[in-house]
Amino acid sequence: MDKKFFARDTRRVARELLGMEIVRKIGKRTIRAVITETEAYKDFSDKASHASRGKTLRNAPMFGPPGTIYVYLIYGMYWCLNIVTERKDYPAAVLIRGIKMLPDGSQIYGPGRVCRALKITGALSG
């Protein structure tokens, strides 16, 4: 998928990611899942967004170009995967909240569990 897909309205991207496959490659190992739940964060006015108070060191990747990965830690223990949308310097992203693992079909709910299943950490942010 090219970056143009993400350079669109955040809510539309969030809806269209549903049912798409996400692939994580770690060396020779490949982890595959289907996205089953997303959440859109858009603009400074979205009080649930990390960007509602402006740009910080923590949320800086959220201000990157569309398609940038923004991974952050919550509660000091759970990583959360977001994909930046719309345009550079505009805070908008889609949080991946649920997946169905392939090939076994097991459901994973919750952004922290998604990152654990996909082996995603803050090292991938940005």
Side-chain angles (χ1 to χ4, degrees), residues 34-50:
V34 173
I35 299 170
T36 59
E37 187 178 356
T38 60
E39 191 168 314
Y41 294 93
K42 180 176 175 165
D43 198 54
F44 293 99
S45 63
D46 184 345
K47 298 302 177 197
S49 171
H50 287 168

